[in-house]
Amino acid sequence: MARKDWLRALVVCLVLGVGTISLYSPALMFHFVNFEDQVYVTANPHVNHGLTGDDLGWAFQTFYAGKWQPLTWVSHMVDCQVFGPKAGGHHATNVALHALSSVLLFLLLWDMTDRFWRSAAVAAFFAWHPLHVESVAWIADRKDILSGVFWMLALWAYVRYAKNLKAQIPSHKLFYALAVLSFALGLMVNWLLVTLPCVMLLLDWWPLGRLRFGAQPAAEGATQPAPGVGPVLIEKIPFALLSVVSCILAVCAGHREAASLAAVHLSLKNRIVAAGLSYFHYVEKTVWPSDLGPLYPALYHQPKLELIGIALFLLGISALVIRFRNSRPYWLVGWVWFVGMLVPTLSLFHANSQIMADRYMYLPSIGLLILICWEAADVAGQWPAGRIVLGILCGVALAGCCVASSFQLRYWKNEGALASRIAEPNFNYMGHADYGSFLMARNQFPEAQVEYEKAISIMPRYAPFQAMLGEDLFLEHKYDNAIEKFRLAQQLDPRMTGIHLPWGRALLAQKHLKEAASEFLMALNADPKNFEAHNWLGRDYAISGQTSAGVEEFRRSIALQPNQPNVLNDLAWILATSSKAEIRNGADAVTFAAQACALTHSSQPVLLGTLAAAYAEAGRFDDAVATAQQAHDIAAANVTLAEKANQPAAARAENALAARNLELLQLYRSHRPFHEKAVK
């Protein structure tokens, strides 16, 4: 190849690499987001400690997160080893991998087709298209861009194998082995690469010209007869076997992970409609990338005329693909590449976690970009000024992609910015519900209520949304309204077992003790190891005077989850101060109260007051006096802090607590324990 070609190739590679890194450089200052980043990195103890022998073994044996993806876990372990908990380093790895994939795509297409500028255009759109922001800016989606690198390497090695085999160069066997190895490594990152053997067959037809079906397509540089269907299929056997094994592992992993409710209950008709809508919107967002977001609404009941129009559009494109299969073979290759690679992401044959997502288009978009760029170049070549005009239009389009990507990138800056990005807000019930959960976790209850109500207005009969709104109303102390929402949720979906615990808490807050106990018992019937249900049932029993039963439930809760300061404190208080002598147990009270204080670093006067009462019941009055004094002093100090912060309610509460501990202090000094008065 001429030196001039290599020099201009080097320039294109530098523009792609440096341009991509510059475009995504703001991501180096971004944070982790609570959108599976905690599953993959921050809260994963097998990953966030870095590389260890045990964790490497875990990576290859686990179906954690519903997938078998050992090299994905290893890549995150390496980042944690090098960068620690700093998110910037993890983002830098994603950006570097995406830049590398873009350069490899350019070199691959150029090698396959000998079309320099078309290959450069496809790679540039791939590098800077807004649809790919999610894959690059989202740390947990490392699997897409890392598998993309192996995908490019596998196809490049396969193209080298095919060309060297045609030229009878002995190194073709080495490239074949490299293609198989790259594919195997890619499948250990992301099982969605299983369609690679089919893409290889497409490339055998065009541009490699190794397959003939009727008239030979306009192959790029085909000078020798094609090897025939048999040999070409036989050489795909190792790749097909790897795909089959990966699909089996994916199915096994999927059975370990609960599928989303939205996907599980879809009828076959709705799945087909969802698949068609997804294909249409993917094409739409590739051509005009607007209204992108982390969650898309799964709509199945579109107007019939709209569905008919979308069906005609997809069928029309497919008809053109068949019509142009000989004169414009890149139509068939690009369209089938796009359609085929998305099949594993659809919910046609299994329940997928999301019906549609930007990240699913990371590699499938290459097919559409090939179709568009090759067709644009062929059309432009038919008139004298066409190439100049096409170059200008291409530059404008790439600039627009960069601007749109930079705006889309901002939404991945932190968790709040991401949660607030709701694509198609008039229809996106999942986006509103997700944002509501984000706001509720930050005690912004009125704002969360607004988002839940928007979700319900779109999907009024979806029980989980009613339950979410009920929990928000409970936290706002609107107990009657919360109970109404929980009751409605159960009517909409009687199988919702998770609703019993929050419903019971709302009933308990309203002093409906029997009804609350019934809900807690139903929660335990669904999950006997639900330590929270044991805890709340214990509180219910304690309030209703069934003290012994309450103590038993508290003990069961602690046995399931020992590190619960409030539960430990409640149990210790009963064991230390109960009016019933047969229930009191000073030694156990001291054990539980001391554990609660240790978990909170002896900083909470309420817990210290319980420990003082436990010491008194155990006859350790000197310890009781010292601890009660400590509780009084901390509460008194908190009064001052609350007054400085202009929090009068908190100041009054702490002042009452300080006074109460001072009162008990006098009791302990006289060597008398404190006991609750018997309820008549």
Side-chain angles (χ1 to χ4, degrees):
M1 188 173 291
R3 182 181 178 185
K4 178 182 177 182
D5 290 334
W6 280 112
L7 285 175
R8 65 176 182 170
L10 178 60
V11 171
V12 169
C13 290
L14 287 174
V15 170
L16 286 172
V18 175
T20 302
I21 292 172
S22 299
L23 174 63
Y24 283 98
S25 60
L28 305 187
M29 304 300 293
F30 289 1
H31 304 286
F32 290 105
V33 294
N34 191 23
F35 192 54
E36 291 194 4
D37 279 358
Q38 74 279 16
V39 174
Y40 279 81
V41 183
T42 56
N44 189 328
H46 297 285
V47 172
N48 57 28
H49 294 152
L51 283 167
T52 66
D54 290 342
D55 291 332
L56 282 173
W58 170 86
F60 283 87
Q61 298 171 28
T62 186
F63 286 148
Y64 189 67
K67 301 175 185 68
W68 186 74
Q69 46 188 7
L71 292 190
T72 298
W73 299 121
V74 171
S75 75
H76 287 301
M77 291 175 190
V78 171
D79 272 3
C80 289
Q81 184 75 31
V82 176
F83 304 114
K86 297 179 180 178
H90 299 257
H91 282 295
T93 301
N94 278 22
V95 172
L97 288 170
H98 181 55
L100 177 59
S101 289
S102 304
V103 171
L104 290 174
L105 176 60
F106 161 65
L107 296 174
L108 167 66
L109 293 176
W110 183 32
D111 192 18
M112 282 197 304
T113 66
D114 290 326
R115 296 293 189 265
F116 185 88
W117 291 113
R118 301 184 193 195
S119 301
V122 170
F125 280 111
F126 174 82
W128 304 331
H129 200 285
L131 264 180
H132 297 159
V133 169
E134 178 175 298
S135 294
V136 183
W138 184 19
I139 291 173
D141 202 38
R142 167 75 52 81
K143 54 185 176 291
D144 275 343
I145 49 178
L146 181 57
S147 65
V149 172
F150 287 115
W151 172 274
M152 306 300 177
L153 290 174
L155 285 182
W156 172 80
Y158 179 73
V159 170
R160 285 287 88 211
Y161 154 77
K163 289 192 171 185
N164 288 358
L165 179 64
K166 182 184 292 187
Q168 297 183 343
I169 299 175
S171 62
H172 70 273
K173 295 181 179 179
L174 176 63
F175 283 109
Y176 183 82
L178 181 59
V180 174
L181 175 62
S182 298
F183 182 44
L185 293 175
L187 290 174
M188 286 192 279
V189 177
N190 190 351
W191 81 278
L192 295 180
L193 299 193
V194 293
T195 55
L196 181 88
C198 300
V199 172
M200 287 178 168
L201 286 172
L202 287 173
L203 299 182
D204 283 329
W205 187 70
W206 180 89
L208 298 178
R210 304 180 71 224
L211 281 178
R212 292 180 185 271
F213 299 104
Q216 175 71 19
E220 306 288 347
T223 58
Q224 297 184 11
V229 176
V232 169
L233 290 177
I234 290 173
E235 68 189 17
K236 302 298 184 297
I237 290 176
F239 298 96
L241 290 175
L242 286 172
S243 292
V244 170
V245 171
S246 186
C247 287
I248 292 172
L249 289 171
V251 170
C252 293
H255 283 307
R256 303 283 185 91
E257 194 76 6
S260 67
L261 289 172
V264 169
H265 299 304
L266 282 184
S267 66
L268 179 59
K269 175 185 175 182
N270 281 343
R271 293 185 186 210
I272 293 172
V273 171
L277 287 170
S278 295
Y279 277 123
F280 174 77
H281 288 306
Y282 282 136
V283 174
E284 179 186 39
K285 291 182 184 298
T286 299
V287 176
W288 189 258
S290 64
D291 209 8
L292 306 177
L295 291 172
Y296 290 105
L299 298 177
Y300 321 109
H301 305 292
Q302 299 284 73
K304 287 187 177 180
L305 285 177
E306 185 175 336
L307 290 177
I308 292 172
I310 289 173
L312 290 175
F313 171 81
L314 296 175
L315 291 173
I317 295 292
S318 301
L320 288 175
V321 164
I322 297 173
R323 172 68 178 81
F324 295 147
R325 66 186 183 279
N326 294 322
S327 60
R328 288 177 166 87
Y330 50 80
W331 274 72
L332 186 145
V333 171
W335 185 250
V336 177
W337 179 318
F338 159 68
V339 171
M341 282 204 71
L342 282 170
V343 168
T345 70
L346 304 174
S347 294
L348 288 173
F349 311 109
H350 63 95
N352 205 358
S353 59
Q354 271 188 260
I355 303 298
M356 178 179 170
D358 291 352
R359 62 185 178 277
Y360 294 158
M361 275 293 281
Y362 189 70
L363 292 175
S365 65
I366 296 172
L368 285 182
L369 294 175
I370 289 173
L371 190 161
I372 293 169
C373 291
W374 253 256
E375 177 63 21
D378 279 355
V379 171
Q382 295 176 5
W383 50 296
R387 295 187 183 279
I388 296 175
V389 173
L390 178 61
I392 295 172
L393 292 176
C394 186
V396 171
L398 285 172
C401 281
C402 290
V403 171
S405 292
S406 65
F407 277 104
Q408 185 65 20
L409 186 62
R410 298 175 185 176
Y411 292 110
W412 291 89
K413 181 178 182 179
N414 53 50
E415 188 177 346
L418 181 62
S420 66
R421 177 57 172 169
I422 303 174
E424 302 181 35
N426 293 331
F427 305 100
N428 197 340
Y429 50 89
M430 288 304 300
H432 287 297
D434 185 67
Y435 190 32
S437 298
F438 169 81
L439 293 169
M440 189 169 72
R442 280 147 187 80
N443 298 328
Q444 296 175 255
F445 304 125
E447 295 85 351
Q449 181 178 341
V450 170
E451 295 301 321
Y452 288 139
E453 287 174 346
K454 288 179 181 178
I456 291 172
S457 69
I458 301 169
M459 291 282 284
R461 299 193 62 78
Y462 190 54
F465 293 164
Q466 300 288 350
M468 290 177 183
L469 178 55
E471 290 199 52
D472 182 80
L473 292 168
F474 169 77
L475 294 173
E476 288 189 78
H477 306 294
K478 299 176 180 178
Y479 302 123
D480 288 335
N481 292 337
I483 291 169
E484 179 184 345
K485 292 299 177 183
F486 292 137
R487 185 176 289 111
L488 175 59
Q490 189 189 49
Q491 291 172 355
L492 292 172
D493 187 358
R495 297 168 296 180
M496 277 191 66
T497 57
I499 200 172
H500 295 300
L501 181 58
W503 193 355
R505 292 176 62 191
L507 289 167
L508 183 61
Q510 290 289 74
K511 304 300 182 183
H512 301 311
L513 302 181
K514 290 184 178 180
E515 295 89 338
S518 177
E519 294 300 324
F520 297 140
L521 287 169
M522 282 191 281
L524 288 170
N525 184 55
D527 180 11
K529 294 185 178 181
N530 189 332
F531 65 91
E532 289 186 290
H534 281 296
N535 171 28
W536 286 101
L537 182 58
R539 293 188 183 187
D540 186 291
Y541 285 153
I543 294 171
S544 62
Q546 303 175 64
T547 312
S548 298
V551 167
E552 187 62 29
E553 292 301 325
F554 285 139
R555 288 184 182 274
R556 288 172 181 167
S557 180
I558 292 168
L560 292 168
Q561 175 54 266
N563 298 330
Q564 301 182 77
N566 292 333
V567 182
L568 290 163
N569 181 75
D570 290 345
L571 177 56
W573 182 259
I574 292 174
L575 294 175
T577 67
S578 175
S579 61
K580 300 177 181 178
E582 66 273 16
I583 292 176
R584 293 197 298 272
N585 185 323
D588 283 358
V590 170
T591 299
F592 293 128
Q595 186 179 349
C597 289
L599 289 171
T600 56
H601 308 288
S602 298
S603 61
Q604 296 188 18
V606 171
L607 305 188
L608 288 168
T610 299
L611 179 57
Y615 281 142
E617 177 61 26
R620 298 167 57 178
F621 291 104
D622 289 343
D623 292 330
V625 169
T627 306
Q629 184 66 58
Q630 184 181 4
H632 167 270
D633 294 344
I634 293 175
N638 288 342
V639 171
T640 304
L641 293 174
E643 289 175 344
K644 289 182 178 179
N646 195 25
Q647 297 175 335
R652 287 193 297 271
E654 292 293 338
N655 190 52
L657 187 59
R660 178 60 172 161
N661 276 285
L662 190 61
E663 179 183 338
L664 292 173
L665 179 61
Q666 304 304 321
L667 187 68
Y668 304 148
R669 281 175 175 164
S670 63
H671 285 205
R672 288 181 296 165
F674 171 77
H675 295 155
E676 299 276 8
K677 293 181 180 180
V679 179
K680 297 181 181 180

PDB file of all heavy atoms in Angstrom, residues 537-550:
ATOM      1  N   LEU A 537     -43.317  -6.795  63.316  1.00  0.00           N
ATOM      2  CA  LEU A 537     -44.280  -7.614  64.047  1.00  0.00           C
ATOM      3  C   LEU A 537     -43.968  -7.578  65.538  1.00  0.00           C
ATOM      4  O   LEU A 537     -44.885  -7.526  66.384  1.00  0.00           O
ATOM      5  CB  LEU A 537     -44.248  -9.055  63.531  1.00  0.00           C
ATOM      6  CG  LEU A 537     -45.243 -10.024  64.162  1.00  0.00           C
ATOM      7  CD1 LEU A 537     -46.684  -9.536  63.970  1.00  0.00           C
ATOM      8  CD2 LEU A 537     -45.072 -11.427  63.580  1.00  0.00           C
ATOM      9  N   GLY A 538     -42.681  -7.551  65.882  1.00  0.00           N
ATOM     10  CA  GLY A 538     -42.290  -7.426  67.285  1.00  0.00           C
ATOM     11  C   GLY A 538     -42.774  -6.126  67.891  1.00  0.00           C
ATOM     12  O   GLY A 538     -43.264  -6.098  69.034  1.00  0.00           O
ATOM     13  N   ARG A 539     -42.658  -5.038  67.147  1.00  0.00           N
ATOM     14  CA  ARG A 539     -43.146  -3.748  67.649  1.00  0.00           C
ATOM     15  C   ARG A 539     -44.665  -3.783  67.847  1.00  0.00           C
ATOM     16  O   ARG A 539     -45.186  -3.239  68.825  1.00  0.00           O
ATOM     17  CB  ARG A 539     -42.776  -2.636  66.662  1.00  0.00           C
ATOM     18  CG  ARG A 539     -41.290  -2.373  66.552  1.00  0.00           C
ATOM     19  CD  ARG A 539     -41.024  -1.140  65.715  1.00  0.00           C
ATOM     20  NE  ARG A 539     -39.600  -0.917  65.546  1.00  0.00           N
ATOM     21  CZ  ARG A 539     -39.069   0.163  64.975  1.00  0.00           C
ATOM     22  NH1 ARG A 539     -39.873   1.111  64.524  1.00  0.00           N
ATOM     23  NH2 ARG A 539     -37.763   0.293  64.854  1.00  0.00           N
ATOM     24  N   ASP A 540     -45.335  -4.398  66.892  1.00  0.00           N
ATOM     25  CA  ASP A 540     -46.785  -4.502  66.991  1.00  0.00           C
ATOM     26  C   ASP A 540     -47.177  -5.258  68.257  1.00  0.00           C
ATOM     27  O   ASP A 540     -48.053  -4.816  69.023  1.00  0.00           O
ATOM     28  CB  ASP A 540     -47.328  -5.218  65.748  1.00  0.00           C
ATOM     29  CG  ASP A 540     -48.843  -5.232  65.693  1.00  0.00           C
ATOM     30  OD1 ASP A 540     -49.461  -5.920  66.526  1.00  0.00           O
ATOM     31  OD2 ASP A 540     -49.410  -4.570  64.800  1.00  0.00           O
ATOM     32  N   TYR A 541     -46.538  -6.397  68.499  1.00  0.00           N
ATOM     33  CA  TYR A 541     -46.842  -7.183  69.691  1.00  0.00           C
ATOM     34  C   TYR A 541     -46.518  -6.407  70.963  1.00  0.00           C
ATOM     35  O   TYR A 541     -47.273  -6.443  71.948  1.00  0.00           O
ATOM     36  CB  TYR A 541     -46.053  -8.494  69.677  1.00  0.00           C
ATOM     37  CG  TYR A 541     -46.586  -9.527  68.698  1.00  0.00           C
ATOM     38  CD1 TYR A 541     -45.733 -10.492  68.158  1.00  0.00           C
ATOM     39  CD2 TYR A 541     -47.923  -9.546  68.332  1.00  0.00           C
ATOM     40  CE1 TYR A 541     -46.212 -11.454  67.272  1.00  0.00           C
ATOM     41  CE2 TYR A 541     -48.407 -10.497  67.442  1.00  0.00           C
ATOM     42  CZ  TYR A 541     -47.546 -11.445  66.915  1.00  0.00           C
ATOM     43  OH  TYR A 541     -48.028 -12.393  66.049  1.00  0.00           O
ATOM     44  N   ALA A 542     -45.384  -5.698  70.962  1.00  0.00           N
ATOM     45  CA  ALA A 542     -44.982  -4.954  72.154  1.00  0.00           C
ATOM     46  C   ALA A 542     -45.996  -3.859  72.482  1.00  0.00           C
ATOM     47  O   ALA A 542     -46.359  -3.649  73.646  1.00  0.00           O
ATOM     48  CB  ALA A 542     -43.598  -4.350  71.951  1.00  0.00           C
ATOM     49  N   ILE A 543     -46.481  -3.168  71.473  1.00  0.00           N
ATOM     50  CA  ILE A 543     -47.453  -2.096  71.690  1.00  0.00           C
ATOM     51  C   ILE A 543     -48.778  -2.655  72.188  1.00  0.00           C
ATOM     52  O   ILE A 543     -49.455  -2.061  73.039  1.00  0.00           O
ATOM     53  CB  ILE A 543     -47.656  -1.291  70.395  1.00  0.00           C
ATOM     54  CG1 ILE A 543     -46.373  -0.548  70.020  1.00  0.00           C
ATOM     55  CG2 ILE A 543     -48.809  -0.294  70.545  1.00  0.00           C
ATOM     56  CD1 ILE A 543     -46.414   0.096  68.645  1.00  0.00           C
ATOM     57  N   SER A 544     -49.169  -3.826  71.659  1.00  0.00           N
ATOM     58  CA  SER A 544     -50.468  -4.409  72.022  1.00  0.00           C
ATOM     59  C   SER A 544     -50.423  -5.181  73.334  1.00  0.00           C
ATOM     60  O   SER A 544     -51.423  -5.771  73.739  1.00  0.00           O
ATOM     61  CB  SER A 544     -50.939  -5.336  70.898  1.00  0.00           C
ATOM     62  OG  SER A 544     -50.039  -6.418  70.717  1.00  0.00           O
ATOM     63  N   GLY A 545     -49.267  -5.175  74.014  1.00  0.00           N
ATOM     64  CA  GLY A 545     -49.151  -5.830  75.308  1.00  0.00           C
ATOM     65  C   GLY A 545     -48.713  -7.277  75.252  1.00  0.00           C
ATOM     66  O   GLY A 545     -48.560  -7.927  76.296  1.00  0.00           O
ATOM     67  N   GLN A 546     -48.455  -7.808  74.069  1.00  0.00           N
ATOM     68  CA  GLN A 546     -47.966  -9.182  73.928  1.00  0.00           C
ATOM     69  C   GLN A 546     -46.439  -9.149  73.983  1.00  0.00           C
ATOM     70  O   GLN A 546     -45.750  -9.445  73.011  1.00  0.00           O
ATOM     71  CB  GLN A 546     -48.460  -9.786  72.619  1.00  0.00           C
ATOM     72  CG  GLN A 546     -49.975  -9.776  72.461  1.00  0.00           C
ATOM     73  CD  GLN A 546     -50.413 -10.283  71.101  1.00  0.00           C
ATOM     74  OE1 GLN A 546     -50.194 -11.451  70.764  1.00  0.00           O
ATOM     75  NE2 GLN A 546     -51.037  -9.416  70.319  1.00  0.00           N
ATOM     76  N   THR A 547     -45.925  -8.796  75.157  1.00  0.00           N
ATOM     77  CA  THR A 547     -44.501  -8.504  75.292  1.00  0.00           C
ATOM     78  C   THR A 547     -43.635  -9.712  74.981  1.00  0.00           C
ATOM     79  O   THR A 547     -42.604  -9.595  74.296  1.00  0.00           O
ATOM     80  CB  THR A 547     -44.203  -7.994  76.707  1.00  0.00           C
ATOM     81  OG1 THR A 547     -45.153  -6.982  77.053  1.00  0.00           O
ATOM     82  CG2 THR A 547     -42.815  -7.406  76.778  1.00  0.00           C
ATOM     83  N   SER A 548     -44.000 -10.880  75.493  1.00  0.00           N
ATOM     84  CA  SER A 548     -43.195 -12.082  75.253  1.00  0.00           C
ATOM     85  C   SER A 548     -43.098 -12.383  73.760  1.00  0.00           C
ATOM     86  O   SER A 548     -42.009 -12.713  73.247  1.00  0.00           O
ATOM     87  CB  SER A 548     -43.803 -13.276  75.987  1.00  0.00           C
ATOM     88  OG  SER A 548     -43.797 -13.060  77.378  1.00  0.00           O
ATOM     89  N   ALA A 549     -44.219 -12.278  73.045  1.00  0.00           N
ATOM     90  CA  ALA A 549     -44.203 -12.523  71.600  1.00  0.00           C
ATOM     91  C   ALA A 549     -43.362 -11.477  70.878  1.00  0.00           C
ATOM     92  O   ALA A 549     -42.641 -11.785  69.921  1.00  0.00           O
ATOM     93  CB  ALA A 549     -45.630 -12.510  71.059  1.00  0.00           C
ATOM     94  N   GLY A 550     -43.424 -10.232  71.376  1.00  0.00           N
ATOM     95  CA  GLY A 550     -42.611  -9.177  70.779  1.00  0.00           C
ATOM     96  C   GLY A 550     -41.134  -9.440  70.941  1.00  0.00           C
ATOM     97  O   GLY A 550     -40.347  -9.267  69.996  1.00  0.00           O
TER      98      GLY A 550
END
